[in-house]
Amino acid sequence: MKIVMLGAPGAGKGTQAKMIAAKYQIPHISTGDIFRANIKNGTELGKKAKSYMDQGLLVPDELTVDLVIDRLAQDDCKNGYILDGFPRTIPQAEALDAALEKLGEKMDYAIDVDVPDENIVSRMSGRRACTGCGATYHIVYNPSKKGEYCEVCGEKLILRDDDKPETVQKRLNVYHDQTQPLIDYYTKQSILRTVDGTQDMNDVFAEIAKILGA
Ligand code: AP5
């Protein structure tokens, strides 16, 4: 099963993608996580990506597309995968489709987690991310049982640099401008499914699981 997760920053794509990956035993591929790992490791890609991410801008397609296409060629993707944060522009979606077509494959579902802008800023300011394993929490909706430390690996939790309110607003503008057109793109392919992302996260997941089947 090959799935693309769509939705505004903070809509809950990552939260749902991790739950789907666990239930369906497919890899969760998050371009945001890949860039953050590169930033943490001080790679050239990380340095370039950070300069865009800190401003709430997209990392250029030429730094993003090959990275994902190469990742999809790895063995663990044979039975499918869930893409979280990619594609984010029409050229990225076209490059993905072209790569799949070469293999005689196609995307099965694009799931749009729909959350209005009004809910996003408060969600983001409450998000806490693990500096070790990338797990995410929310101080109100999904707090860590270990307070300021990660339940999974014990590392310190932080507010991401790009989750500050002024950067979140910029990311929302970029989303509406460059990513939202993908809703039409996947509607035309008849694979778009929209779920109400304002519900409790387990209810959002139940809706997605119904779409994907048992
Ligand atoms: P990325 O990491 O992909 O960020 P994003 O898309 O902005 O999404 P987020 O991770 O912020 O949110 P999410 O939807 O996953 O929400 P989450 O589940 O964490 O990208 C970061 C940056 O990298 C981009 O800005 C860009 O610069 C660059 N980048 C990445 N991919 C790129 C690409 N393809 N091309 C170019 N540049 C790229 O949930 C948010 C919070 O809400 C959490 O605290 C969570 O606990 C909570 N929550 C989740 N669901 C619920 C719910 N139902 N109710 C209440 N709270 C909830």
Side-chain angles (χ1 to χ4, degrees):
M1 184 149 42
K2 291 185 273 308
I3 306 166
V4 163
M5 295 301 287
L6 296 174
K13 302 180 295 295
T15 302
Q16 297 301 325
K18 285 179 189 118
M19 294 163 93
I20 297 166
K23 180 169 163 95
Y24 296 92
Q25 295 290 298
I26 48 176
H28 166 212
I29 300 171
S30 155
T31 37
D33 286 350
I34 295 173
F35 289 137
R36 281 184 288 277
N38 274 274
I39 293 171
K40 193 175 170 199
N41 295 331
T43 67
E44 272 314 303
L45 173 65
K47 282 177 200 154
K48 285 183 191 157
K50 184 171 169 42
S51 64
Y52 296 96
M53 290 167 76
D54 283 353
Q55 296 179 69
L57 300 173
L58 295 185
V59 178
D61 289 346
E62 56 272 26
L63 294 179
T64 309
V65 170
D66 291 348
L67 182 89
V68 177
I69 305 291
D70 288 351
R71 175 67 187 86
L72 300 185
Q74 288 178 18
D75 261 7
D76 63 337
C77 292
K78 273 190 187 132
N79 295 325
Y81 41 80
I82 176 151
L83 285 172
D84 164 18
F86 183 95
R88 243 184 168 94
T89 62
I90 296 283
Q92 288 183 10
E94 289 171 346
L96 174 62
D97 279 349
L100 288 174
E101 206 178 319
K102 271 191 202 160
L103 301 169
E105 296 176 0
K106 61 181 190 50
M107 197 52 64
D108 296 307
Y109 295 100
I111 297 179
D112 178 33
V113 182
D114 185 32
V115 176
D117 286 9
E118 306 84 88
N119 302 30
I120 296 286
V121 179
S122 69
R123 265 201 196 179
M124 303 297 251
S125 58
R127 172 162 60 184
R128 294 296 177 269
C130 175
T131 48
C133 68
T136 49
Y137 301 89
H138 192 282
I139 52 175
V140 177
Y141 306 118
N142 181 27
S144 167
K145 292 187 185 81
K146 292 190 178 165
E148 288 173 25
Y149 295 89
C150 180
E151 281 173 20
V152 182
C153 72
E155 286 283 320
K156 179 98 175 131
L157 302 180
I158 55 150
L159 177 69
R160 267 167 46 180
D161 281 344
D162 61 348
D163 278 352
K164 295 179 180 135
E166 57 285 10
T167 315
V168 170
Q169 190 52 56
K170 252 201 226 162
R171 288 165 64 197
L172 275 172
N173 295 344
V174 167
Y175 166 75
H176 289 302
D177 194 35
Q178 298 190 55
T179 306
Q180 214 169 14
L182 293 175
I183 303 278
D184 273 353
Y185 182 90
Y186 287 115
T187 300
K188 281 186 191 137
Q189 293 190 6
S190 305
I191 61 165
L192 185 86
R193 304 286 184 275
T194 303
V195 295
D196 175 3
T198 63
Q199 309 171 83
D200 174 272
M201 43 190 93
N202 292 316
D203 293 336
V204 179
F205 182 61
E207 219 181 303
I208 295 175
K210 212 187 256 178
I211 291 167
L212 301 179

